[in-house]
Amino acid sequence: MTHDISLAEPPVRKGPPPARAARRHPAWTPWLYLAPALVVLAGLLVYPIYQLGLISFLEYTQAQVSGGEPTTFQGFGNYATLFRDEQFWQVLLATVLFAGACVVTTLAVGCALAVLLTRVRAVPRLALMLAALGAWATPAITGSTVWVFLFDPDFGPVNKVLGLGDFSWTYGRLSAFALVMLEVVWCSFPFVMVTVYAGIRAVPAEVLEAASLDGASQWRIWRSVLAPMLRPILVVVTIQSVIWDFKVFTQIYVMTNGGGIAGQNLVLNVYAYQKAFASSQYSLGSAIGVVMLLILLAVTLVYLRLLRRQGEEL
Protein backbone atom coordinates (compact mmCIF):
# COMPACT_ATOMS: atom_id res chain seq x y z
CA MET A 1 0.00 0.00 0.00
CA THR A 2 1.55 3.19 -1.11
CA HIS A 3 0.88 6.58 0.37
CA ASP A 4 1.31 9.78 -1.70
CA ILE A 5 2.96 12.28 0.42
CA SER A 6 2.61 15.84 -0.91
CA LEU A 7 5.00 18.33 0.49
CA ALA A 8 3.41 21.71 1.06
CA GLU A 9 5.34 24.36 -0.84
CA PRO A 10 6.12 27.55 0.98
CA PRO A 11 4.04 30.49 -0.12
CA VAL A 12 5.58 32.57 -2.87
CA ARG A 13 5.99 36.20 -1.96
CA LYS A 14 4.97 38.47 -4.79
CA GLY A 15 6.77 41.67 -5.48
CA PRO A 16 10.28 42.81 -4.54
CA PRO A 17 11.91 41.54 -1.34
CA PRO A 18 11.29 43.69 1.71
CA ALA A 19 13.80 46.48 2.05
CA ARG A 20 15.73 47.02 5.16
CA ALA A 21 13.96 49.18 7.62
CA ALA A 22 15.35 52.64 7.21
CA ARG A 23 15.77 54.86 10.15
CA ARG A 24 13.21 57.62 9.88
CA HIS A 25 14.03 61.08 11.12
CA PRO A 26 11.30 63.15 12.73
CA ALA A 27 9.68 65.73 10.48
CA TRP A 28 11.04 68.56 12.60
CA THR A 29 14.70 67.54 12.18
CA PRO A 30 15.39 69.91 9.23
CA TRP A 31 13.94 72.80 11.22
CA LEU A 32 16.31 71.96 14.05
CA TYR A 33 19.26 72.53 11.74
CA LEU A 34 17.72 75.76 10.45
CA ALA A 35 16.88 77.07 13.91
CA PRO A 36 20.07 79.17 14.47
CA ALA A 37 19.71 80.90 11.10
CA LEU A 38 15.98 81.44 11.66
CA VAL A 39 16.61 83.04 15.03
CA VAL A 40 19.12 85.46 13.50
CA LEU A 41 16.77 86.27 10.62
CA ALA A 42 13.90 86.83 13.01
CA GLY A 43 15.96 89.35 14.94
CA LEU A 44 17.29 91.14 11.88
CA LEU A 45 14.19 91.07 9.66
CA VAL A 46 10.95 90.09 11.38
CA TYR A 47 11.14 92.48 14.32
CA PRO A 48 12.14 95.56 12.25
CA ILE A 49 9.38 94.80 9.75
CA TYR A 50 6.92 94.48 12.62
CA GLN A 51 8.01 97.84 14.02
CA LEU A 52 7.79 99.41 10.55
CA GLY A 53 4.24 98.19 10.09
CA LEU A 54 3.24 99.20 13.64
CA ILE A 55 4.51 102.78 13.29
CA SER A 56 2.70 103.11 9.94
CA PHE A 57 -0.62 102.67 11.81
CA LEU A 58 0.17 105.25 14.50
CA GLU A 59 0.45 109.01 14.71
CA TYR A 60 4.17 109.18 15.29
CA THR A 61 5.89 112.50 14.84
CA GLN A 62 8.56 114.40 16.76
CA ALA A 63 5.97 115.31 19.38
CA GLN A 64 5.35 111.64 20.15
CA VAL A 65 9.06 110.80 20.04
CA SER A 66 9.87 113.49 22.62
CA GLY A 67 6.93 112.47 24.80
CA GLY A 68 5.11 115.79 24.46
CA GLU A 69 1.97 114.15 23.04
CA PRO A 70 0.55 110.66 23.39
CA THR A 71 0.77 108.16 20.54
CA THR A 72 -2.62 107.51 18.94
CA PHE A 73 -3.80 104.76 16.64
CA GLN A 74 -4.62 106.02 13.15
CA GLY A 75 -5.54 102.78 11.39
CA PHE A 76 -5.14 103.25 7.67
CA GLY A 77 -5.19 107.04 8.04
CA ASN A 78 -1.51 107.40 7.16
CA TYR A 79 -1.99 105.31 4.02
CA ALA A 80 -5.03 107.39 3.05
CA THR A 81 -2.97 110.56 3.49
CA LEU A 82 -0.16 109.05 1.46
CA PHE A 83 -2.39 107.91 -1.40
CA ARG A 84 -4.04 111.33 -1.57
CA ASP A 85 -0.65 112.97 -1.97
CA GLU A 86 -0.07 113.70 -5.65
CA GLN A 87 3.69 113.84 -5.11
CA PHE A 88 3.69 110.24 -3.90
CA TRP A 89 2.27 109.00 -7.20
CA GLN A 90 4.72 111.14 -9.16
CA VAL A 91 7.62 109.73 -7.15
CA LEU A 92 6.30 106.18 -7.54
CA LEU A 93 6.06 106.59 -11.32
CA ALA A 94 9.54 108.10 -11.46
CA THR A 95 10.88 105.21 -9.36
CA VAL A 96 9.34 102.58 -11.63
CA LEU A 97 10.62 104.24 -14.81
CA PHE A 98 14.07 104.85 -13.35
CA ALA A 99 14.38 101.29 -12.06
CA GLY A 100 13.15 99.91 -15.38
CA ALA A 101 15.73 101.91 -17.33
CA CYS A 102 18.50 100.80 -14.97
CA VAL A 103 17.49 97.13 -15.23
CA VAL A 104 17.29 97.13 -19.02
CA THR A 105 20.62 98.93 -19.41
CA THR A 106 22.33 96.75 -16.82
CA LEU A 107 21.16 93.55 -18.51
CA ALA A 108 22.17 94.82 -21.96
CA VAL A 109 25.67 95.84 -20.85
CA GLY A 110 26.21 92.77 -18.67
CA CYS A 111 25.08 90.28 -21.32
CA ALA A 112 27.08 92.00 -24.08
CA LEU A 113 30.26 91.94 -22.01
CA ALA A 114 29.60 88.32 -21.00
CA VAL A 115 29.53 87.35 -24.67
CA LEU A 116 32.66 89.46 -25.25
CA LEU A 117 34.47 87.54 -22.51
CA THR A 118 33.96 84.34 -24.48
CA ARG A 119 35.50 85.90 -27.61
CA VAL A 120 38.74 87.40 -26.24
CA ARG A 121 41.96 85.82 -25.07
CA ALA A 122 42.93 85.09 -21.49
CA VAL A 123 44.81 88.31 -20.70
CA PRO A 124 42.13 90.78 -21.93
CA ARG A 125 39.48 88.60 -20.30
CA LEU A 126 41.30 88.71 -16.96
CA ALA A 127 41.75 92.49 -17.22
CA LEU A 128 38.06 93.02 -17.98
CA MET A 129 37.02 90.74 -15.13
CA LEU A 130 39.26 92.54 -12.63
CA ALA A 131 38.04 95.96 -13.77
CA ALA A 132 34.39 94.87 -13.53
CA LEU A 133 34.84 93.30 -10.11
CA GLY A 134 36.60 96.45 -8.93
CA ALA A 135 33.54 98.50 -9.93
CA TRP A 136 31.27 95.98 -8.22
CA ALA A 137 33.29 96.08 -4.99
CA THR A 138 33.38 99.88 -4.79
CA PRO A 139 31.07 101.23 -2.04
CA ALA A 140 28.06 103.09 -3.40
CA ILE A 141 28.91 106.35 -1.65
CA THR A 142 32.49 106.26 -2.95
CA GLY A 143 31.43 105.52 -6.50
CA SER A 144 28.77 108.24 -6.40
CA THR A 145 31.29 110.82 -5.15
CA VAL A 146 33.74 109.89 -7.92
CA TRP A 147 31.05 110.17 -10.59
CA VAL A 148 29.97 113.58 -9.27
CA PHE A 149 33.57 114.76 -9.65
CA LEU A 150 33.91 113.28 -13.15
CA PHE A 151 30.82 115.16 -14.34
CA ASP A 152 31.43 118.33 -12.35
CA PRO A 153 30.70 121.41 -14.55
CA ASP A 154 33.83 123.27 -13.36
CA PHE A 155 36.50 120.64 -12.70
CA GLY A 156 35.16 117.42 -14.20
CA PRO A 157 37.11 115.89 -17.11
CA VAL A 158 34.00 114.60 -18.89
CA ASN A 159 32.68 118.05 -19.83
CA LYS A 160 36.13 119.07 -21.04
CA VAL A 161 36.48 115.99 -23.23
CA LEU A 162 32.97 116.35 -24.65
CA GLY A 163 33.29 120.13 -25.03
CA LEU A 164 30.19 120.85 -22.92
CA GLY A 165 31.68 123.80 -21.04
CA ASP A 166 29.96 124.45 -17.70
CA PHE A 167 26.95 122.22 -18.42
CA SER A 168 25.47 120.95 -15.13
CA TRP A 169 24.31 117.35 -15.32
CA THR A 170 22.42 117.57 -12.05
CA TYR A 171 20.44 120.71 -12.92
CA GLY A 172 18.00 119.15 -15.36
CA ARG A 173 15.66 116.37 -14.25
CA LEU A 174 16.36 113.95 -17.10
CA SER A 175 20.10 114.60 -17.21
CA ALA A 176 20.36 114.03 -13.46
CA PHE A 177 18.45 110.77 -13.69
CA ALA A 178 20.65 109.73 -16.64
CA LEU A 179 23.81 110.48 -14.66
CA VAL A 180 22.61 108.46 -11.67
CA MET A 181 21.54 105.63 -13.99
CA LEU A 182 25.03 105.46 -15.47
CA GLU A 183 26.54 105.12 -12.00
CA VAL A 184 24.01 102.46 -10.99
CA VAL A 185 24.70 100.48 -14.17
CA TRP A 186 28.47 100.87 -13.65
CA CYS A 187 28.31 99.23 -10.22
CA SER A 188 25.62 96.66 -11.16
CA PHE A 189 26.60 95.18 -14.53
CA PRO A 190 29.49 93.05 -13.14
CA PHE A 191 27.01 90.77 -11.35
CA VAL A 192 25.09 90.20 -14.58
CA MET A 193 28.29 89.80 -16.59
CA VAL A 194 29.88 87.21 -14.31
CA THR A 195 26.64 85.23 -13.87
CA VAL A 196 25.78 85.13 -17.57
CA TYR A 197 29.39 84.35 -18.49
CA ALA A 198 29.32 81.34 -16.16
CA GLY A 199 26.11 80.20 -17.84
CA ILE A 200 27.58 80.57 -21.31
CA ARG A 201 30.62 78.52 -20.33
CA ALA A 202 28.26 75.73 -19.25
CA VAL A 203 26.67 75.57 -22.72
CA PRO A 204 28.16 72.70 -24.77
CA ALA A 205 30.69 74.01 -27.28
CA GLU A 206 29.23 71.74 -29.98
CA VAL A 207 25.98 73.69 -29.91
CA LEU A 208 27.71 77.03 -30.54
CA GLU A 209 29.96 75.53 -33.21
CA ALA A 210 26.97 74.07 -35.03
CA ALA A 211 25.23 77.45 -35.01
CA SER A 212 28.38 79.15 -36.35
CA LEU A 213 28.75 76.55 -39.10
CA ASP A 214 25.16 77.20 -40.12
CA GLY A 215 26.12 80.83 -40.73
CA ALA A 216 24.34 82.37 -37.74
CA SER A 217 25.58 85.79 -36.64
CA GLN A 218 26.54 86.52 -33.04
CA TRP A 219 23.23 88.28 -32.46
CA ARG A 220 21.31 85.33 -33.94
CA ILE A 221 23.28 82.87 -31.80
CA TRP A 222 22.44 84.88 -28.70
CA ARG A 223 18.76 85.29 -29.56
CA SER A 224 18.04 81.78 -30.82
CA VAL A 225 20.54 79.61 -28.93
CA LEU A 226 22.03 81.21 -25.82
CA ALA A 227 19.08 83.24 -24.52
CA PRO A 228 16.64 80.27 -24.43
CA MET A 229 19.24 78.05 -22.75
CA LEU A 230 20.13 80.76 -20.23
CA ARG A 231 16.54 81.68 -19.42
CA PRO A 232 16.66 80.55 -15.75
CA ILE A 233 19.85 82.57 -15.18
CA LEU A 234 18.38 85.61 -16.95
CA VAL A 235 15.27 85.37 -14.76
CA VAL A 236 17.41 85.39 -11.62
CA VAL A 237 19.56 88.38 -12.61
CA THR A 238 16.53 90.31 -13.85
CA ILE A 239 14.52 89.92 -10.64
CA GLN A 240 17.50 90.69 -8.45
CA SER A 241 18.30 93.78 -10.55
CA VAL A 242 14.70 94.95 -10.19
CA ILE A 243 14.90 94.62 -6.40
CA TRP A 244 18.26 96.40 -6.19
CA ASP A 245 17.39 99.26 -8.56
CA PHE A 246 13.91 99.83 -7.13
CA LYS A 247 15.34 100.67 -3.71
CA VAL A 248 18.26 102.84 -4.83
CA PHE A 249 19.04 105.45 -2.19
CA THR A 250 22.73 106.33 -1.88
CA GLN A 251 23.33 107.24 -5.53
CA ILE A 252 20.29 109.51 -5.76
CA TYR A 253 20.91 111.14 -2.40
CA VAL A 254 24.61 111.83 -2.99
CA MET A 255 24.60 112.74 -6.67
CA THR A 256 21.48 114.96 -6.65
CA ASN A 257 22.06 116.41 -3.18
CA GLY A 258 19.03 114.83 -1.55
CA GLY A 259 16.65 114.47 -4.49
CA GLY A 260 17.44 117.27 -6.90
CA ILE A 261 16.11 120.79 -7.27
CA ALA A 262 12.61 121.01 -5.71
CA GLY A 263 12.59 117.23 -5.38
CA GLN A 264 12.61 116.62 -9.13
CA ASN A 265 14.79 113.51 -8.78
CA LEU A 266 13.10 111.88 -5.82
CA VAL A 267 12.64 108.10 -5.70
CA LEU A 268 10.65 106.23 -3.07
CA ASN A 269 13.57 105.49 -0.77
CA VAL A 270 14.70 109.12 -0.68
CA TYR A 271 11.09 110.29 -0.43
CA ALA A 272 10.56 108.06 2.61
CA TYR A 273 13.77 109.40 4.17
CA GLN A 274 12.64 112.98 3.70
CA LYS A 275 9.22 112.31 5.17
CA ALA A 276 10.57 110.40 8.15
CA PHE A 277 13.68 112.36 9.10
CA ALA A 278 13.59 115.72 7.34
CA SER A 279 9.90 116.35 8.16
CA SER A 280 9.77 114.18 11.33
CA GLN A 281 6.69 112.40 9.96
CA TYR A 282 7.87 108.97 10.96
CA SER A 283 4.49 107.33 10.44
CA LEU A 284 4.28 108.52 6.81
CA GLY A 285 7.85 107.42 6.19
CA SER A 286 6.98 103.99 7.62
CA ALA A 287 3.90 103.79 5.40
CA ILE A 288 6.07 104.45 2.35
CA GLY A 289 8.44 101.73 3.54
CA VAL A 290 5.55 99.26 3.85
CA VAL A 291 4.36 100.10 0.33
CA MET A 292 7.86 99.48 -1.01
CA LEU A 293 8.03 96.22 0.93
CA LEU A 294 4.75 95.03 -0.58
CA ILE A 295 5.84 95.95 -4.11
CA LEU A 296 9.14 94.12 -3.74
CA LEU A 297 7.36 91.18 -2.11
CA ALA A 298 5.08 90.94 -5.14
CA VAL A 299 8.13 90.97 -7.42
CA THR A 300 9.73 88.24 -5.31
CA LEU A 301 6.61 86.09 -5.49
CA VAL A 302 6.62 86.41 -9.27
CA TYR A 303 10.27 85.40 -9.20
CA LEU A 304 9.52 82.30 -7.10
CA ARG A 305 6.63 81.35 -9.35
CA LEU A 306 8.86 81.57 -12.42
CA LEU A 307 11.47 79.43 -10.70
CA ARG A 308 8.85 76.83 -9.85
CA ARG A 309 7.66 76.70 -13.45
CA GLN A 310 11.23 76.22 -14.65
CA GLY A 311 12.19 73.84 -11.87
CA GLU A 312 13.32 71.12 -14.28
CA GLU A 313 15.68 73.50 -16.02
CA LEU A 314 17.23 74.71 -12.78
Side-chain angles (χ1 to χ4, degrees):
M1 183 176 178
T2 57
H3 298 278
D4 293 333
I5 301 175
S6 58
L7 300 176
E9 298 181 356
V12 179
R13 184 183 298 273
K14 296 182 179 180
R20 294 181 177 178
R23 179 178 297 177
R24 294 180 178 273
H25 295 282
W28 48 266
T29 301
W31 294 102
L32 183 62
Y33 290 108
L34 292 175
L38 293 178
V39 170
V40 174
L41 289 177
L44 296 178
L45 295 178
V46 176
Y47 182 73
I49 291 175
Y50 163 75
Q51 286 292 332
L52 181 71
L54 177 62
I55 294 175
S56 69
F57 289 108
L58 303 175
E59 182 182 1
Y60 202 70
T61 62
Q62 187 60 41
Q64 283 75 30
V65 173
S66 61
E69 296 181 7
T71 301
T72 57
F73 182 74
Q74 297 292 316
F76 289 95
N78 292 320
Y79 293 95
T81 302
L82 185 64
F83 294 151
R84 287 195 301 265
D85 187 0
E86 184 179 351
Q87 187 182 18
F88 166 76
W89 296 106
Q90 295 175 354
V91 173
L92 177 60
L93 177 61
T95 304
V96 171
L97 295 177
F98 173 75
C102 290
V103 170
V104 171
T105 309
T106 301
L107 291 176
V109 174
C111 292
L113 291 178
V115 175
L116 178 63
L117 287 176
T118 64
R119 311 291 297 179
V120 298
R121 296 182 180 275
V123 175
R125 180 166 60 246
L126 178 61
L128 180 56
M129 292 280 285
L130 292 177
L133 293 177
W136 193 16
T138 302
I141 189 169
T142 303
S144 301
T145 304
V146 171
W147 275 74
V148 168
F149 169 75
L150 292 176
F151 288 85
D152 185 85
D154 298 321
F155 307 103
V158 174
N159 280 13
K160 295 180 181 180
V161 173
L162 298 179
L164 297 178
D166 58 351
F167 174 75
S168 176
W169 290 83
T170 58
Y171 183 78
R173 185 168 187 257
L174 294 180
S175 61
F177 269 129
L179 179 60
V180 177
M181 184 191 71
L182 290 177
E183 201 280 334
V184 171
V185 171
W186 174 76
C187 65
S188 301
F189 83 86
F191 169 75
V192 178
M193 183 191 73
V194 172
T195 307
V196 174
Y197 172 72
I200 294 175
R201 299 297 295 179
V203 175
E206 296 79 6
V207 176
L208 302 179
E209 292 177 0
S212 300
L213 292 176
D214 289 340
S217 62
Q218 290 297 321
W219 168 247
R220 185 60 183 271
I221 293 175
W222 168 260
R223 188 183 63 179
S224 302
V225 179
L226 288 177
M229 298 183 72
L230 298 176
R231 190 185 327 176
I233 293 177
L234 294 177
V235 169
V236 171
V237 297
T238 299
I239 298 301
Q240 289 187 346
S241 297
V242 168
I243 294 174
W244 290 341
D245 295 340
F246 190 83
K247 58 186 184 66
V248 165
F249 174 83
T250 304
Q251 291 89 339
I252 288 285
Y253 193 84
V254 172
M255 300 180 70
T256 64
N257 196 21
I261 300 175
Q264 64 181 1
N265 296 113
L266 284 176
V267 292
L268 280 180
N269 243 351
V270 181
Y271 185 58
Y273 175 83
Q274 288 191 352
K275 286 293 184 182
F277 298 102
S279 302
S280 297
Q281 296 176 330
Y282 304 106
S283 52
L284 282 180
S286 299
I288 298 172
V290 171
V291 171
M292 290 186 60
L293 176 64
L294 294 176
I295 293 174
L296 293 179
L297 182 61
V299 174
T300 303
L301 292 177
V302 172
Y303 161 63
L304 295 177
R305 186 174 181 181
L306 290 174
L307 289 185
R308 180 175 297 179
R309 287 183 178 180
Q310 301 173 358
E312 295 83 6
E313 302 177 20
L314 294 175

